[in-house]
Amino acid sequence: MDLRRLGRTDVAVSKICLGTMTFGEQNTEAEGHAQLDRAFAAGVNFLDAAELYPIPPRPETQGRTERIIGTWLKARGLRDKVIVATKVVGRSEMTHFRKDGAEGRLTAAQINEAVDRSLINLQTDYIDLYQVHWPDRNVSGFGSNPTRWADPEPVADETPIEETLEALTALVKAGKVRHLGLSNESPWGTMSYVKAAEMRGLERVVSIQNAYNLVNRTFESGLAEVALREDVGLLAYSALGQGYLTGKYRDGALPAGSRKALFNRLQRYEKPGGEAAINAYVDLARDAGLDPSQMAIAFALSRSFVTSVIIGATSMAQLDVALGAADLELSADVLARIDELHQLHGNPCP
């Protein structure tokens, strides 16, 4: 498994990162541990979690994902060999994350409470990469890189980015966090964090975790240049379009146990034009003799601005397919055909 540099740090992360948001909901602790074992054996040294997880977010399950990772770290004794990433929620109407029942905000008090609980859950005294899950401000659309602009409603109590970064920097100085990252952030937001670090002598962000896949390449329109010039590499999530790019939902199919069947939360990939684009990419993969899942992951891995691709699975068979994408290098012909389809279909699922 190839390793890639995380931002401007001396940390090397595997080009595939194991996402864990199913642990504690669709996957039991034993199944989560088995996935972690299999991924580690394949060379994956990078794990991604969040205080929000598992998905869907519910008060009664919140924190289970981190706790499953924590029991694995303790049982295996691998803490110094694994890069652990987790996240703090941004602005949210959900009130079950904080002891006082407050809505989610990126204030110093809330960040401090969140990181301390994550450290307990993960059974560690430091987090390698601590990420802002989404902004405190209202943005044009979730993911912060929409194809069409919609004026966001300003909020009076917006926490300034500088204040959030000061709180996060204090965590680094305290030794609770090694490095900082963003998620679901825009070009303006990312550069605001970079500028605040340079102007105020604060900690620099080293990564950004946004959706990126064959039917959502909006990252390329502004954030790709930021990622390359500022060394804020992309940790690409949803490379399989929440399962749609595997082809398993084609023609209305609804596999038992799938996320759509269980939770019906896949509307991001059910936009006008989405079905035609998804089918075209699945057909391309099959015409080229490739597994559609592996082609989609390999495409994301081939981008110069990508540091790591976050994979997720609910079964070991799915995990093995995703891990196998690490060995796949797409031909120039396949990449050219992907770009032709992108020219035709654009970004239907931002």
Side-chain angles (χ1 to χ4, degrees):
M1 180 73 66
D2 292 341
L3 301 179
R4 297 177 177 179
R5 187 180 179 189
L6 183 64
R8 296 178 181 176
T9 76
D10 59 358
V11 176
V13 298
S14 51
K15 68 179 183 180
I16 284 183
C17 171
L18 182 62
T20 60
M21 72 180 190
T22 61
F23 294 6
E25 181 65 60
Q26 290 175 266
N27 290 111
T28 65
E29 180 177 52
E31 289 169 342
H33 285 194
Q35 284 196 30
L36 289 160
D37 287 338
R38 181 72 60 87
F40 186 77
V44 172
N45 73 344
F46 195 14
L47 313 176
D48 181 68
E51 68 165 338
L52 179 82
Y53 297 163
I55 295 295
R58 296 186 290 137
E60 55 269 36
T61 60
Q62 191 266 323
R64 279 186 189 170
T65 298
E66 289 182 332
R67 289 192 289 273
I68 289 172
I69 294 172
T71 55
W72 181 80
L73 290 172
K74 183 177 181 180
R76 302 298 186 268
L78 295 171
R79 182 64 190 91
D80 61 336
K81 295 180 174 60
V82 178
I83 308 302
V84 178
T86 194
K87 312 179 196 74
V88 56
V89 300
R91 175 170 292 270
S92 174
E93 295 180 353
M94 292 181 282
T95 59
H96 62 270
F97 295 104
R98 303 294 169 252
K99 292 177 181 178
D100 62 1
E103 293 184 348
R105 299 290 186 270
L106 288 171
T107 61
Q110 289 212 26
I111 290 169
N112 289 333
E113 180 182 336
V115 77
D116 285 343
R117 184 165 60 175
S118 288
L119 289 168
I120 292 170
N121 287 343
L122 293 165
Q123 299 195 50
T124 183
D125 56 4
Y126 68 96
I127 293 165
D128 296 286
L129 178 64
Y130 198 52
Q131 304 156 103
V132 173
H133 206 155
W134 63 86
D136 189 287
R137 68 190 189 280
N138 280 346
V139 293
S140 182
F142 188 79
S144 300
N145 220 32
T147 55
R148 294 177 302 280
W149 180 259
D151 288 337
E153 186 71 26
V155 290
D157 64 340
E158 178 183 306
T159 308
I161 283 174
E162 293 82 0
E163 181 180 326
T164 295
L165 188 56
E166 286 173 356
L168 293 168
T169 297
L171 296 180
V172 176
K173 291 180 178 178
K176 295 181 179 182
V177 169
R178 293 180 67 193
H179 303 290
L180 305 176
L182 304 173
S183 184
N184 299 299
E185 190 50 276
S186 69
W188 179 87
T190 305
M191 285 307 302
S192 293
Y193 273 96
V194 170
K195 181 174 68 174
E198 293 176 350
M199 301 274 297
R200 299 179 177 229
L202 301 174
E203 195 71 16
R204 209 172 191 281
V205 294
V206 302
S207 61
I208 177 170
Q209 184 177 147
N210 278 30
Y212 182 76
N213 53 55
L214 293 167
V215 290
N216 178 10
R217 293 171 60 175
T218 54
F219 192 91
E220 297 177 18
S221 63
L223 278 164
E225 185 174 16
V226 174
L228 289 168
R229 288 184 176 271
E230 301 296 337
D231 296 309
V232 184
L234 174 62
L235 309 181
Y237 76 78
S238 204
L240 298 182
Q242 294 183 339
Y244 268 98
L245 287 166
T246 70
K248 69 181 182 181
Y249 295 123
R250 189 163 189 166
D251 299 325
L254 191 62
S258 65
R259 255 193 292 176
K260 182 170 175 59
L262 291 172
F263 312 122
N264 193 26
R265 288 174 52 86
L266 309 191
Q267 287 75 22
R268 190 170 184 173
Y269 294 93
E270 297 172 347
K271 303 286 183 65
E275 183 178 10
I278 289 164
N279 289 347
Y281 288 113
V282 172
D283 288 342
L284 168 56
R286 290 173 176 164
D287 288 346
L290 301 173
D291 180 278
S293 301
Q294 292 187 340
M295 186 188 80
I297 295 170
F299 171 74
L301 286 170
S302 73
R303 305 296 90 183
S304 60
F305 47 82
V306 170
T307 297
S308 189
V309 172
I310 301 169
I311 62 170
T314 54
S315 71
M316 296 300 274
Q318 290 174 343
L319 179 60
D320 286 339
V321 169
L323 290 170
D327 299 321
L328 176 62
E329 184 172 344
L330 299 180
S331 68
D333 175 65
V334 168
L335 289 171
R337 291 167 69 187
I338 286 173
D339 274 346
E340 288 173 2
L341 290 178
H342 179 64
Q343 185 68 34
L344 288 171
H345 295 283
N347 297 304
C349 305

